[in-house]
Amino acid sequence: MTDDILLAAHHVDVVYDTGEGTPTHAVRDVAVELRRGELLGIAGESGCGKSTLAYALTRLLQPPARLAAGTVTLDGQDLYALDREALRAVRWTRLSMVFQSAMNALNPVTTVGRQFDDIFRAHRPAMTATERRAKAGELLDMVGIDPSRLRSHPHELSGGMRQRVVIAMALALDPDVVVMDEPTTALDVVVQREILDEIEELRERLGFAVIFITHDLNLLLEISDRLAVMYAGRIVEYADTARIAEGGALHPYTRGLLRSFPALTGDRRDLRGIPGQPPDLRLATPGCAFADRCEAVVERCRAQRPELERVGEGLSWAACHVARHHPSDRQAVPTESAGQTRGGPA
Amino acid sequence: MTTGTTTPAALEVDHLTVDFKRRGAPSLRAVDDVTFTLHPGHTLALVGESGSGKSTVVRALSRLVAPSAGHVRLAGADRTRDAAYRRAVQMVFQDPFASLNPAHTVGHHLRRPLLAGGRATRSDVDARAARLLDAVNLTPAADIARARPHELSGGQRQRVAIARALAPEPAVLLADEPVSMLDVSIRLEILGLLDRLKRERRLALLYVTHDLATARHFAADVMVMYRGQIVERGPSDDVILRPRHPYTQLLASAAPGAAGSRERAREARAARLAARRARPAQPRETSRHAPPDEGCRFRPRCPLATDRCARRPPVVPLGPTGHEARCWLHVDAARQGPAA
Amino acid sequence: MTATATALAAPPDDTAAARGGRLRAALRSGRLRAGLGIVAVLALTAALGPLFLGDPDAVSQDLSQAPSAAHWLGTTQTGQDVFTQFVVAARGTLLIGATSALIATAVSAVVGIGGGFLGGLTDEALSLLSNIFLVIPGLPLVIVVAAYVGAGTGATILVIALTTWAASARVLRAQTLSLRTRDYVLAARLYGESRRRIVLVEILPNELAIIVSQFIFAVIFAVLTQAALAFLGLDDPSNLTWGTMLYFAQNADALTGGAWWWFIPPGLAIAVLGAALSLISFGLDEVLDPRLRARRRRP
């Protein structure tokens, strides 16, 4: 299984040097692994570090943010050891990105076609103009936009169409991994659904793997294969999506987050979110960051921070002192020899 | 209309129409002939996507934009120009980071509406402000009152904004996407707070949202708006669980979690993709422009459109509960006699 | 729904303590400290200096002397003490600078905020007025007006104020246009706040930073314009300023005659005052915009 792993991050720490006192830790000791062709969901609320993680995984962190510790490897190759030229070769061709504001990142003064041209010219200098145009048209058609739109300027397209163009661009050079940070958040439900359908279809056709980052856990339950839930800079639960979708969430935060989305068709019970609010990342707490909001909190939670540990069979990790004893944990009681490794899956 | 007709209406909106003038183009009809009633102690949800005109309805009711036609009656009286109307119809804004003045303390945001509306005197204004903060679960009130907006979280700010809207003791509260900019985990808390205040204070609440799930859970009745028109309305379970207008059906099927399970979500996706492949890209993308005629505004996107949809669709009653849809599809069934 | 006790994200300080904290944070900016220090020294000199010194016009037998213990900055062609003149001139210069900047800022605030808030015809008319004043070339107008109304401190102040207000009025109008559609202003309209209070209490405090920076630059502009006018002989020569000192020095051929102690102190003082005010403005920007601070700290 390990040879299947495309993108791997271990012990990733991202720090913001604010210039005042202690630096802010936005991401702490995070490990994720992305297998070929899978969709890994990363869920969490604003300020939990999920976007910062996306930038760290693609080596796009801008000062004052910096990778303080950890490694990110793409097919065994350390992304942070590459020089500028090698990194440029890897971007787009192997690893590409779609960010939340991406639809506003299109250059407003040139046509969509020219912007595709720029990508091909930079990375595929051997292509002729005719080939470039044909390929760009094909890509647009793939995301459900008429190829005649190559002559359009970005402002002539709706938000949903612009986001599709950006996705088409991210796929232009057939990457292995696409990191998508809230790619549909700014869009209406119907358009969001259309774009998600397209991503799924393209994934089946082209076989790229996706890291999909969003606050909408409900959405990830439908589209992801595996799921990491982040809270206050750390992954608190890392599991097969199917288990969480079947009610097997282990961490009280994951359960709270699930409860925060009332079911469209379900009955009207248990309509509450999670009391309180996420902690200030600047303040260091000795215990679990979620302790103050947790319904299952015990004394130990405030004194000692729980490590991310394997709990149960399969991909089933949680950072919680009480998770393994919770009734909703339908797995067999895990033994200490279940292969615990500090900080994440080995 | 629907449930709640036993209580006298708090706000009656009659044939409300709002046009926006545009330079060098015909004016844009943002709200087209919208009629509804708000009752004390009841929540009505207004559901629609961006550009549907739902926020314009709110702004017309709070007199921030002028309607071009229609009537608004407060407790039976047609007196929207009064200062009394202003105070009786209050609003909670979408963005809690923009709705509080960064230059002032929380206390200022509550003292001013209390004093301006004559609901407090200089001597008891602080006590009343503290009571408002208590009412929205912001404690300890004295500390919060001294804080400035930037010291509060999004959820706390929205609570302050709700307290400010309550200060003039309104009869009607217009909540324009009150939780869409907040963290997921605190949305239900805020909606629950609005729900409790509505009950305790007999507020007539208009909950404007794009989220069908919370609309169904927090409102007794739902109206679905598309390009300025109400296309379907009725008791929330009828409209959202058994939608009859093709647009509502599309909305309900697109909502995350609508399928119920991962397997069914996959099946639904396969079905949608098959349907999409049958249609070329061109008509799908141009469909964002509504036709300029009197016909159904949804028909360019509608999978069930026929020739008669080019004529203005009638409002068809769909049962005894007040469920109705503006769609030609249901005309024939309705003519054969109302469904049980 | 269960009632939830909600704790504050950050405990609010006592207001006075918070203010003090902000002031201390502001003074951590080196630029602001340097600028404020220089301006304070100049202002104190201008306010208190003349009390300890004699008549700046008094002549003596020491003609065109270089600086010495008796005359710290030497003497003029007619034997007047340059140091005494310099100190008294500081008072005149700062007074004209501050007064015209105050008038210009007040006018721009009324025109800019008033037009931006009221909108409609009022705004159109006020915008037209500022645009007219904006396209009139400043210094030639000042020269013409000064020549027409005649020399005099009051006239100089008015003339300078008249030519400076328009640019900042436009800045304030743009800011007001943006602020008046903010949700918190709409909310104030909804609960029935009066227009006067909306402008003074809800909008104005959010424009203070801009107004202060506009004022600072207006002072710089006024001091420079006054110096230029005086140097050209268009200001009242009996009102001693650094500009009139330069004028007299020029007339007495101090520059060609090598009497550097006569023209360098007032010239340098104008430059230092301008630099100090700019430092204050940059320093304030830094304090008010944390992004600048972080960016500067990186190598």
Side-chain angles (χ1 to χ4, degrees), chain A residues 45-46 145-146 149 158 161 188-190 192-194 197-198 200-201 204 215 221-222 224 241 245 259-268 271-277 293, chain B residues 49-50 153 156 183-189 212-214 216-217 236-237 240-241 250-252 254-258 262 265-266 269 272-273 276-277 281-282 284-285 288 301:
Chain A
E45 297 178 87
S46 59
I145 292 180
D146 193 272
R149 288 293 187 175
S158 69
M161 287 164 75
D188 280 325
V189 215
V190 176
Q192 164 175 297
R193 176 59 67 190
E194 285 171 8
D197 283 353
E198 245 136 36
E200 285 285 271
E201 192 200 5
E204 278 163 22
H215 69 280
L221 288 187
E222 286 180 12
S224 67
T241 310
R259 212 170 49 215
S260 301
F261 296 95
L264 184 68
T265 52
D267 49 7
R268 293 181 178 79
L271 285 183
R272 63 204 159 93
I274 308 173
Q277 46 229 323
R293 304 174 75 188
Chain B
E49 294 180 287
S50 55
S153 69
Q156 288 174 324
D183 265 338
V184 174
S185 67
I186 52 178
R187 289 182 184 172
L188 289 181
E189 302 266 327
L212 284 177
T214 55
R216 175 173 163 248
H217 287 293
S236 47
D237 275 3
I240 291 166
L241 299 183
L250 181 67
L251 266 188
R262 276 159 68 81
R266 271 165 211 229
R269 182 168 63 81
R272 280 195 302 273
L273 284 174
R276 281 173 63 102
R277 278 196 205 98
Q282 184 84 50
R284 265 189 278 141
E285 57 161 275
R288 56 193 281 253
R301 288 171 77 183

Side-chain angles (χ1 to χ4, degrees), chain A residues 8 49 61 70 85 106 110 152 156 214 246 270 301 307 311 335 344:
Chain A
L61 290 170
E85 216 18 64
L106 290 171
T110 74
S152 302
E156 295 171 275
T214 178
E246 286 155 16
D270 211 11
C301 301
E307 297 291 341
V311 186
T335 55

Side-chain angles (χ1 to χ4, degrees), chain A residues 96 113 165 198 230 309 330:
Chain A
S96 66
V165 168
E198 245 136 36
M230 284 184 80
E309 293 174 338
R330 297 186 302 181

Side-chain angles (χ1 to χ4, degrees), chain C residues 221-274:
Chain C
F221 182 83
V223 168
L224 290 177
T225 312
Q226 189 275 330
L229 279 179
F231 186 72
L232 294 173
L234 292 164
D235 196 4
D236 177 8
S238 67
N239 178 31
L240 201 56
T241 65
W242 291 332
T244 45
M245 279 180 78
L246 289 172
Y247 169 71
F248 286 125
Q250 160 76 3
N251 277 4
D253 288 330
L255 282 98
T256 47
W260 53 268
W261 56 86
W262 194 354
F263 61 84
I264 285 193
L268 200 62
I270 290 172
V272 167
L273 176 64

Side-chain angles (χ1 to χ4, degrees), chain B residues 60-71:
Chain B
L61 294 185
S62 49
R63 307 297 301 176
L64 293 173
V65 301
S68 40
H71 292 279

